[in-house]
Amino acid sequence: EHRAGGRDLLTTHPAVSPIPPDRGVYDGFLPERREQLRAERVEHLHGRLPDDAQVLVLSPCCDDYAAEVVRRLDAHGHLVTLVSPDPTTDEGPGERLAGIERADRLAALRRDGVRVLDWPYGEPFAATLERARARWSG
């Protein structure tokens, strides 16, 4: 029942549409206000979660926002797991830099005690999950 509900949500909800919006939700705001609105969204989500909720975040973590959301939810005492499909390549200097920045974000989250599944491009998810399971139980 959970699998069917999750599949339905991930294939029909506009928040996870494969078509990106014309512009970001907070693009018209000053940076300080943008940060405040983003923090309020996390607080709103936290307020809707049971205290013992486990949170699964799916994000490539190509900028700081997802990492900040994960940290805030973790600070509220939720067990948070980040599943991070890797969209980066090493085809040029910019792409390599993006990969290094992403790897640094994931490493920092791990140092903070967050479970992170770094899912390499082209690798079956089962293999990624098994590697993480071995690391977490070891």
Side-chain angles (χ1 to χ4, degrees), residues 15-16 29 46-47 62 102 129 132:
V16 289
F29 294 101
H46 166 66
C62 291
R102 179 183 170 275
L129 188 57

Side-chain angles (χ1 to χ4, degrees), residues 35 38-39 42-43 45-46 55-57 59 61 63-82 101-116:
E35 178 60 30
R38 288 176 170 166
V42 174
E43 292 304 313
L45 173 61
H46 166 66
V55 180
L56 179 68
V57 176
S59 172
C61 222
D63 61 28
D64 292 328
Y65 181 60
E68 183 61 30
V69 169
V70 166
R71 280 190 182 90
R72 288 177 191 229
L73 291 169
D74 180 64
H76 282 299
H78 298 292
L79 176 60
V80 182
T81 301
L82 172 66
E101 289 174 341
R102 179 183 170 275
D104 286 349
R105 272 186 212 93
L106 299 184
L109 287 169
R110 284 187 178 115
R111 280 191 307 273
D112 292 343
V114 174
R115 286 184 166 195
V116 175

